């Protein structure tokens, strides 16, 4: 029996060794990478646990803050003028349109005026007649009366001379009684004529009855003519002042009567804003406060106004008070009854510490506070607040400029570590 022969192991080929080595190395690399990543994650978690989460913080700054009362209202003029007819007549023509700008004295409506023109002609004739009567007194009646007075004076002088001669002849026996009686009668007649002439001169002269009557008639005729002219002028309705016509209630052919508004005029000049303010803000308002106004139709355009009137009563149904603001220089796009938004400046602090409102906790309470970042941790601080605006709060005590504050929306509590990130 032959001894067993030792067999050599089969030779290992190079490509077989390669296929064995690389899978082993890949498996080890994955384990190594996993271990490194795990160690890195644990280290990062530990770091985050130590330094805290990253939080976007707010910065306290020194600036101005303005407190405003915001409300909405509408545009209107301090008053409106209703233009009506003063007579009853038919409309011949309407010369303007609604929304048109007019000036004082501009013709707006023309009424039919034939009858009024005829009345004016009659009144003018009456004036001419009365004036002719006055001229007649001055040019004829008074001069004639003055001449008659002169003649009466001469007649009276002759009668008195004849009476003296008749008396002398009668006394010497040469004259008869009949001659004396005739001379006496002539003297008496001359005296009567003299008094009549004097009265005629007096009544025809200024201050006399005939003169006063003629003058009164002339004045009455002139007044009637003026009234007729005024009524004729009423047939042309004109604008009483500069402004814009915001309503037109008349057309050609309409019969108008006194008291009915035909046109409504918004006078040019100062414009006012009428606003309803919540009564809780009444204590903040005062005459003279400045405001910014924007029309809802043009929100990007703003103009100035001044608070000029605060209604002394409160609307119990709406719990509001009416205030009026004057616009000294209204922009051209502003129209009557346009809706506007108003920001009334009720208080202002200059160069104070201002923080976003979101950083102040319990801002309306008696003990507002903030979370400030100090030494990498959130620290609670009690603060004293001042003015409030829409999104900012004035800090009077407890916060300095450049302090970092944690917004109330962040899930951070006092004492917790964090990493402050400034936006």
């Amino acid at each position: 029996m032959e001894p067993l022969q030792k067999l050599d192991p089969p030779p290992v080929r190079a490509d077989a060794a390669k296929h064995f080595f690389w899978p082993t190395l890949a498996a080890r690399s994955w384990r190594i990478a996993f271990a490194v990543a795990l160690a890195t994650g644990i280290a990062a978690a530990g770091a985050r646990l130590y330094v805290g989460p990253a939080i976007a913080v707010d910065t306290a700054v020194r600036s101005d803050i303005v407190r405003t009362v915001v409300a909405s209202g509408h545009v209107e003029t301090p008053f409106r003028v209703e233009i009506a007819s003063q007579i009853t007549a038919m409309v011949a023509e309407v010369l303007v349109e609604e929304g048109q700008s007019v000036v004082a004295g501009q013709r707006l409506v023309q009424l039919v005026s034939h009858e009024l023109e005829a009345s004016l002609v009659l009144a003018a004739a009456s004036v001419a007649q009365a004036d002719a009567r006055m001229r007649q007194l001055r040019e004829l009646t008074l001069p004639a009366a003055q001449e008659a007075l002169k003649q009466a004076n001469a007649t009276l002088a002759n009668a008195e001379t004849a009476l003296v001669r008749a008396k002398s002849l009668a006394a010497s026996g040469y004259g008869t009684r009949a001659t004396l009686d005739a001379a006496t009668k002539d003297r008496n007649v001359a005296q009567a004529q003299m008094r009549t002439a004097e009265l005629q001169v007096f009544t025809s002269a200024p201050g006399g009855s005939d003169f006063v009557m003629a003058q009164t008639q002339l004045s009455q005729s002139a007044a009637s003519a003026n009234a007729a002219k005024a009524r004729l002028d009423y047939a042309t309705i004109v604008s009483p002042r500069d402004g814009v016509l915001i309503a037109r209630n008349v057309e050609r052919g309409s019969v108008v009567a006194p008291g009915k508004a035909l046109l409504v005029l918004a006078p040019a000049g100062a414009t006012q804003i009428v606003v309803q303010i919540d009564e809780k803000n009444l204590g903040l308002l005062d005459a003279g406060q400045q405001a910014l106004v924007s029309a809802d139709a043009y929100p990007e355009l703003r103009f100035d106004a001044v608070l000029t009137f605060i209604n002394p009563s409160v609307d119990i149904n709406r719990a509001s008070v009416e205030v009026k603001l004057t616009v000294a220089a209204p922009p051209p796009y502003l129209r009557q009854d346009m809706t506007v938004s108003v920001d009334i400046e009720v208080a202002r602090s200059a160069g104070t510490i201002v923080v976003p409102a979101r950083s102040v906790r319990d801002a309306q309470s008696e003990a507002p506070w903030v979370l400030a970042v100090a030494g990498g941790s959130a620290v609670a601080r009690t603060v004293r607040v001042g003015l409030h605006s829409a999104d900012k709060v004035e800090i009077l005590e407890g916060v300095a400029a450049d302090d970092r504050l944690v917004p109330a929306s962040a899930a951070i509590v006092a004492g917790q570590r964090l990493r402050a990130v400034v936006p």
Side-chain angles (χ1 to χ4, degrees):
M1 183 175 184
E2 292 182 0
L4 297 174
Q5 187 178 357
K6 187 176 180 180
L7 300 176
D8 293 332
V12 179
R13 295 187 312 178
D15 57 348
K18 180 179 179 181
H19 284 84
F20 172 78
F21 174 77
W22 283 111
T24 303
L25 181 61
R28 291 178 179 178
S29 298
W30 179 85
R31 291 188 183 94
I32 294 171
F34 177 77
V36 171
L38 180 62
T40 303
I42 293 173
R48 284 196 298 269
L49 183 63
Y50 177 74
V51 300
I55 301 296
V57 297
D58 297 321
T59 303
V61 297
R62 187 173 295 278
S63 67
D64 298 345
I65 185 171
V66 177
R67 183 176 184 180
T68 61
V69 172
V70 181
S72 61
H74 65 277
V75 179
E76 68 177 40
T77 54
F79 60 93
R80 299 181 181 185
V81 179
E82 292 187 346
I83 302 174
S85 173
Q86 295 180 271
I87 59 174
T88 300
M90 180 181 291
V91 176
E93 189 176 5
V94 181
L95 305 171
V96 290
E97 298 292 339
E98 187 174 355
Q100 180 177 336
S101 296
V102 297
V103 297
Q106 181 177 340
R107 296 171 62 215
L108 306 178
V109 180
Q110 182 63 53
L111 305 178
V112 176
S113 58
H114 304 308
E115 184 177 352
L116 299 176
E117 292 171 354
S119 298
L120 180 59
V121 172
L122 291 175
S126 179
V127 171
Q129 185 177 7
D131 184 64
R133 173 60 180 160
M134 286 293 299
R135 291 180 57 192
Q136 184 180 32
L137 283 176
R138 290 192 300 268
E139 298 173 3
L140 176 62
T141 305
L142 181 59
Q146 291 171 340
E147 291 299 324
L149 179 59
K150 293 178 181 179
Q151 184 176 357
N153 278 328
T155 302
L156 178 59
N158 292 334
E160 288 179 346
T161 300
L163 179 59
V164 170
R165 186 169 57 252
K167 285 181 178 180
S168 176
L169 291 174
S172 62
Y174 293 102
T176 62
R177 183 66 184 181
T179 302
L180 180 60
D181 292 342
T184 301
K185 179 181 178 182
D186 291 341
R187 193 276 312 271
N188 293 338
V189 171
Q191 286 179 339
Q193 291 175 344
M194 176 67 178
R195 286 193 295 270
T196 300
E198 288 176 342
L199 291 175
Q200 187 65 35
V201 171
F202 176 77
T203 192
S204 300
S209 59
D210 285 352
F211 186 89
V212 172
M213 288 177 62
Q215 191 175 45
T216 301
Q217 185 177 1
L218 177 60
S219 298
Q220 290 177 343
S221 299
S224 297
N226 290 336
K229 185 178 184 305
R231 290 181 63 83
L232 180 60
D233 291 340
Y234 293 157
T236 303
I237 301 176
V238 300
S239 176
R241 58 191 305 161
D242 298 351
V244 177
L245 296 172
I246 59 176
R248 167 181 160 172
N249 304 311
V250 62
E251 297 296 337
R252 181 178 180 181
S254 303
V255 176
V256 298
K260 179 183 177 182
L262 308 179
L263 303 165
V264 179
L265 176 70
T271 298
Q272 68 181 12
I273 308 294
V274 180
V275 182
Q276 294 292 333
I277 301 292
D278 195 312
E279 66 174 317
K280 68 181 181 182
N281 295 319
L282 181 58
L284 303 175
L285 302 178
D286 196 9
Q289 291 174 336
Q290 301 294 316
L292 284 178
V293 187
S294 63
D296 289 1
Y298 305 92
E300 71 283 358
L301 302 177
R302 311 191 80 184
F303 55 92
D304 296 325
V306 179
L307 178 61
T308 53
F309 173 79
I310 302 174
N311 198 310
S313 63
V314 176
D315 188 333
I316 191 172
N317 296 321
R318 293 187 287 184
S320 63
V321 60
E322 182 183 77
V323 302
K324 296 180 179 180
L325 301 97
T326 299
V327 183
Y333 62 82
L334 213 59
R335 301 184 181 183
Q336 290 298 303
D337 300 320
M338 180 178 280
T339 301
V340 295
S341 298
V342 180
D343 291 349
I344 304 174
E345 181 180 319
V346 297
R348 174 185 287 269
S349 291
T352 187
I353 300 298
V354 178
V355 301
R358 64 186 180 184
S359 296
V360 183
R361 292 155 167 84
D362 301 329
Q364 302 300 328
S365 68
E366 295 181 356
W369 58 285
V370 298
L371 278 179
V373 180
S377 299
V379 180
R381 292 183 187 174
T382 301
V383 296
R384 185 164 67 91
V385 300
L387 296 182
H388 294 251
S389 67
D391 57 352
K392 295 182 180 179
V393 177
E394 178 188 17
I395 304 297
L396 301 176
E397 293 179 1
V399 174
D402 298 327
D403 281 356
R404 304 289 193 260
L405 305 179
V406 179
S409 59
I412 299 296
V413 297
Q416 182 177 346
R417 295 191 66 80
L418 72 154
R419 289 183 296 118
V421 177
V422 180

